[in-house]
Amino acid sequence: MTAPPGPPPPLAGGANGPTALRPLLDTVLDALHTGAAERGGPLPAGGPAAQTARVRAALGDVLPAHGTGDHEALRTLVHLLAAGAADPADPLCAAHLHGPPLAVAAAADLAASALNPSLDSWDQAPAASAVEALLTRTLAAEFYDTPHADALVTTGGTEANQLALLLARERHGPRLTVLHGANAHHSVPRAAWLLGLPPTTALPTPTGTLDPADLAQALAATPGPTLVTATAGTTDAGLIDPLHRIADLCDRYGADLHIDAAYGGLLALSPRHRDKLAGLGRAHSLTIDLHKLGWQPVAAGLLAVPDTALLAPLAHQADYLNATDDTEAGLPDLLGRSLRTTRRPDALKIATTLRALGRDGLAALVDRTIDTAHHLARLLDAHPGFELHAAPTISTVLFRPTHVDDDQLATLRRTLLHEGRAVLGRTRADGRLWLKATLLNPHTTAGDLDTLIALLEGRTHR
């Protein structure tokens, strides 16, 4: 006789959800701890082949005939992930614009996952939709001094840039010309391709930023509608284009302006550093990314605009989500707030962080992180074994050991990765290859920077 099936596994939501989650969270936290201890550094040693073999050995059958139970599955997978992570919370993991999330933001993200609101209709997210509306308007007002500034929550800078080009296309038609510097994020020309626009025009940026003289010449030679994309915080060096001068040119030639401030946008919260963004509020649209200098778990991007009317082209009708009579009766229409349908409440973790830290707390984190980058730059500049490319604009430091060529530099970086000792980026500037330290960890200390320099010294002076 077949035994009757047992009860279904517990849910994360509902009245009993917290009771079910609590012991599971203990298992998760223990596995995060043991995994990080096993890793013992910024990333696991051994390189891709070793990690793939380790994952395969630990998982075995990904879909077993009979389950192993909640605690075993969590213990195995979370430990595996933590032991094999490139952990941005480690001070020597500093290659990319990949920041360590604040604990309070990660905890809020757990609540979002447990409750699972979907921001495509009000009846799936009553409170979450109101939180998002308040958050987006509040943050947009940090960048625009206009009565109806607004913003959309995106998965990050790439989606925000794509939305910016989409809105410009809808304003001006499919023959829109997009001009940008060679320093622009790769998502800008890719978005033009995805949207069926003409190939973008990349203007040379030999000094790392967009030259207004070159832009003026390009605008004068470009017939028809034009969108200029400037950058406030380049991916390679953290540089900021001359925003006011670019905005002046856009006004003169009747071009729209989008500014990709995914990296640098949160400098606006810092009284010490907001002047670097002078001119930001003159853009028709802005990309902001809070999983960089906002210390949020991925994903946490914004597209901000000076007036909510600019978002009107995104309006969309699906009767089961935003029936006209429901909207007329007062139910908020959420479908035009994204190109995505099912959409998690990423606004919750951002709003929780803003409330927990406040303006002064976030500004202090920004200032501390930038100060750390300048300290590293001074150490490298004073050291005879290293060459500093330039003082950092935000928190990216480009440098290279002296007496090594580009091939040796690339090999050094990969060796550190394979050994699990450090995660540094790479980029080209002035015709040479440079190591890139992208400092986003506010817990990084002067001692951590000394450790990094000593590690590199040991690799280049043998």
Side-chain angles (χ1 to χ4, degrees):
M1 181 176 178
T2 303
L11 300 176
N16 295 323
T19 301
L21 279 172
R22 195 175 302 277
L24 297 178
L25 292 182
D26 286 339
T27 298
V28 166
L29 295 175
D30 286 345
L32 285 172
H33 178 77
T34 60
E38 179 182 310
R39 186 182 69 242
L43 80 167
Q51 281 309 300
T52 299
R54 179 174 168 274
V55 169
R56 284 178 174 166
L59 285 187
D61 190 350
V62 176
L63 181 60
H66 303 288
T68 61
D70 295 348
H71 288 276
E72 190 283 333
L74 284 169
R75 192 160 43 246
T76 298
L77 269 294
V78 175
H79 177 99
L80 184 66
L81 193 68
D87 186 358
D90 188 292
L92 299 190
C93 188
H96 303 288
L97 287 166
H98 174 208
L102 295 169
V104 67
D109 220 20
L110 168 66
S113 293
L115 294 168
N116 210 29
S118 181
L119 274 292
D120 51 307
S121 67
W122 182 88
D123 59 358
Q124 297 176 82
S129 59
V131 169
E132 181 179 271
L134 289 169
L135 173 80
T136 50
R137 290 167 192 154
T138 297
L139 288 177
E142 292 295 318
F143 309 106
Y144 290 112
D145 186 17
T146 53
H148 304 293
D150 202 354
L152 303 177
V153 177
T154 71
T155 53
T158 293
E159 183 187 353
N161 284 339
Q162 183 178 345
L163 282 171
L165 266 66
L166 172 62
L167 292 172
R169 186 194 71 180
E170 294 306 291
R171 287 195 298 271
H172 299 294
R175 296 189 179 275
L176 176 72
T177 297
V178 179
L179 302 177
H180 60 83
N183 62 351
H185 193 264
H186 64 84
S187 61
V188 173
R190 195 176 191 202
W193 167 69
L194 285 168
L195 293 167
L197 293 170
T200 64
T201 299
L203 304 176
T205 53
T207 63
T209 57
L210 189 53
D211 184 347
D214 288 341
L215 177 60
Q217 187 175 17
L219 284 168
T222 302
T226 305
L227 175 71
V228 173
T229 295
T231 305
T234 60
T235 303
D236 284 342
L239 302 179
I240 298 173
D241 287 335
L243 303 180
H244 262 314
R245 295 172 67 192
I246 290 170
D248 288 344
L249 288 170
C250 289
D251 289 346
R252 183 189 309 170
Y253 288 97
D256 284 3
L257 174 62
H258 170 66
I259 299 177
D260 179 356
Y263 181 9
L266 267 292
L267 298 184
L269 298 180
S270 166
R272 284 176 51 193
H273 296 289
R274 65 167 61 109
D275 286 350
K276 295 176 181 178
L277 300 178
L280 195 71
R282 298 177 65 184
H284 288 79
S285 54
L286 293 172
T287 289
I288 308 293
D289 205 341
L290 288 102
H291 54 244
K292 295 180 173 62
L293 283 176
W295 296 280
Q296 297 300 295
V298 174
L302 291 176
L303 177 75
V305 293
D307 195 299
T308 192
L310 291 168
L311 303 175
L314 299 177
H316 186 66
Q317 177 74 41
D319 199 56
Y320 76 104
L321 294 173
N322 59 348
T324 302
D325 59 318
D326 278 348
T327 302
E328 291 174 348
L331 295 186
D333 180 355
L334 305 181
L335 206 52
R337 304 292 298 179
S338 177
L339 293 181
R340 293 169 284 151
T341 303
T342 301
R343 188 163 61 85
R344 71 191 309 275
D346 289 314
L348 176 65
K349 62 196 176 192
I350 301 171
T352 302
T353 301
L354 298 186
R355 183 176 179 86
L357 273 67
R359 183 188 302 275
D360 57 349
L362 281 166
L365 288 183
V366 170
D367 293 348
R368 182 186 181 97
T369 303
I370 294 175
D371 287 347
T372 301
H374 280 273
H375 182 71
L376 174 60
R378 288 192 295 270
L379 290 176
L380 292 166
D381 196 33
H383 197 299
F386 296 96
E387 179 182 354
L388 177 70
H389 181 263
T393 300
I394 306 178
S395 65
T396 299
V397 182
L398 302 187
F399 66 99
R400 55 181 291 144
T402 54
H403 311 303
V404 298
D405 60 27
D406 285 0
D407 288 341
Q408 291 170 325
L409 187 68
T411 299
L412 167 63
R413 175 182 174 272
R414 288 191 294 270
T415 298
L416 294 173
L417 290 175
H418 277 262
E419 293 179 352
R421 304 294 298 277
V423 189
L424 294 171
R426 53 179 284 173
T427 191
R428 289 200 168 272
D430 301 332
R432 292 192 292 167
L433 190 64
W434 298 80
L435 291 174
K436 177 174 68 168
T438 309
L439 300 183
L440 293 177
N441 186 345
H443 286 265
T444 298
T445 66
D448 295 323
L449 301 180
D450 291 339
T451 298
L452 175 61
I453 290 175
L455 174 63
L456 291 168
E457 281 179 320
R459 293 292 173 182
T460 57
H461 296 85
R462 289 189 295 179

